[in-house]
Amino acid sequence: PPGGRACGTMARAMSGIGYGEVQPLGRRAIRGLLAEAAPCAGPLVMGTGIVAVALSLAGFGVGSRILLAVAAVAWLAATLAVVSRTARARPWTIPGSRTPYALTSVGATCVLGDGLLRVGWTAPALALWWLGAALLCALLPGVAAGRPWGDGHSFLLAVATQSVAALAATLAAARGADWMIVVALALFAAGLVLYLAALARFPPSQLRLGGGEIWIAGGALAISALACGELVTAIDADGVLNGARDGLSGLDLGLWIAAVAWLPVLAAAELRWPRWGYRPSRWATVFPVGMYATCSFATGAAAGLGGVTRFARVWVWIALAVWCLAAIGLTRSALGRGGAEAAAPEEASGPGRARRT
């Protein structure tokens, strides 16, 4: 229409964006998002996946599937990135494979498998369990040999082991596999030993000096309670190891109480030494918070306690809120990174610099 070109020119002048700049800005935003997500890919998948599982157990299938899709995309992107870096390394090694953070690959793989199992994808879940178990066998000895004690990340040794145990028990109940119950029980016991080893070397000063990863101290107990609860469910479904059923049920409740006992300690640390700004380590907070909801559903079902299940139904909303805060922080940080990259070329050709024709 008449005057349309003039209006368009004025709008572009006010916004500072030309026709040719929209697509590059979009690409810069995507690159910024990938760059921000890369340092926390494992915890991001773990946190997103476990909140998806909690929503599924609470009966919110649509929301669960949305978050599960996000976790699956993030897992695929992180896996491709690791494979690419490993292929370029000489000799072929997984970069950073001797640090506790490497074990987030195990947790992320098994949590994603748990989520897929909840929506009926048993075969992919089984494949992810085998992959997670292989990663655990490959990574855990090297990480343990490096004496990874002294901060919240040391609890990842227990988290990784219990994630494989929990998925094994859930698959055993779904497939009627007796041998998986035995494997899950052995891994569950090993995870408890690793938790006690990490706890014995965890200095209280980390509650003041640490970041979002201090929540793993409680989350590791929560995933232990989840693994134990899933074991009880598998025993009820399959009938094997019936003699251990009552003992595991009582232990499950004890682990849940111990995990919940961490909550006031961790909340008090957040209030006393605020660390509320977004940082990648905040995804290490999302997973434990989500795990509290998921393990409470499992413990409530295993022990037949309605109060624990009601706690889970309330806590799932807290977990979702924490996930949303972390996701918003990640997005804002990514947009800030993209904006900074976009500003750099403008500074080189801005006012005061001669233009060549």
Side-chain angles (χ1 to χ4, degrees):
R5 185 179 298 277
C7 292
T9 302
M10 183 170 64
R12 292 196 304 277
M14 293 174 66
S15 65
I17 300 175
Y19 284 126
E21 297 177 45
V22 175
Q23 184 63 25
L25 278 175
R27 287 198 297 269
R28 280 193 289 267
I30 293 173
R31 286 199 300 268
L33 184 61
L34 293 174
E36 286 295 323
C40 55
L44 188 153
V45 175
M46 294 171 68
T48 305
I50 205 62
V51 175
V53 172
L55 287 172
S56 176
L57 292 172
F60 299 100
V62 175
S64 172
R65 283 171 169 78
I66 292 173
L67 288 190
L68 187 60
V70 173
V73 171
W75 183 88
L76 285 171
T79 301
L80 291 174
V82 170
V83 170
S84 176
R85 291 200 305 272
T86 303
R88 291 196 302 267
R90 294 295 185 272
W92 283 2
T93 57
I94 301 176
S97 60
R98 295 181 66 87
T99 64
Y101 182 84
L103 293 172
T104 61
S105 63
V106 180
T109 299
C110 290
V111 167
L112 179 61
D114 195 352
L116 294 178
L117 186 60
R118 306 283 177 179
V119 297
W121 290 16
T122 305
L126 180 61
L128 288 172
W129 180 80
W130 279 109
L131 177 58
L135 286 171
L136 182 69
C137 293
L139 296 173
L140 186 60
V143 174
R147 300 184 180 276
W149 316 110
D151 63 12
H153 292 108
S154 61
F155 292 102
L156 286 172
L157 281 75
V159 169
T161 306
Q162 297 292 16
S163 67
V164 181
L167 183 54
T170 310
L171 281 166
R175 302 177 72 248
D178 295 354
W179 67 271
M180 294 194 81
I181 296 179
V182 177
V183 170
L185 182 59
L187 288 169
F188 166 69
L192 290 182
V193 172
L194 289 170
Y195 180 84
L196 293 174
L199 182 64
R201 297 167 175 83
F202 183 69
S205 60
Q206 278 296 308
L207 295 173
R208 172 173 57 88
L209 301 174
E213 74 280 354
I214 64 172
W215 283 79
I216 308 175
L221 270 181
I223 195 172
S224 300
L226 172 66
C228 194
E230 295 295 354
L231 269 170
V232 173
T233 302
I235 290 172
D236 288 341
D238 198 74
V240 68
L241 298 179
N242 276 324
R245 198 267 182 208
D246 292 339
L248 286 172
S249 180
L251 178 59
D252 184 28
L253 183 59
L255 289 170
W256 182 84
I257 293 172
V260 171
W262 269 104
L263 283 177
V265 176
L266 296 169
E270 292 284 356
L271 294 173
R272 177 63 181 85
W273 301 288
R275 48 180 79 89
W276 295 340
Y278 173 77
R279 63 199 71 180
S281 67
R282 269 308 176 198
W283 287 101
T285 303
V286 177
F287 174 74
V289 172
M291 183 53 70
Y292 274 105
T294 304
C295 81
S296 297
F297 280 114
T299 301
L305 296 175
V308 177
T309 304
R310 286 192 292 273
F311 172 86
R313 294 192 178 280
V314 173
W315 196 263
V316 69
W317 297 111
I318 297 175
L320 182 60
V322 172
W323 182 90
C324 289
L325 289 174
I328 291 170
L330 174 65
T331 304
R332 291 182 62 183
S333 184
L335 292 176
R337 179 190 289 264
E341 292 177 357
E346 295 176 4
E347 292 174 0
S349 60
R353 294 186 181 269
R355 292 178 179 268
R356 284 190 280 180
T357 59

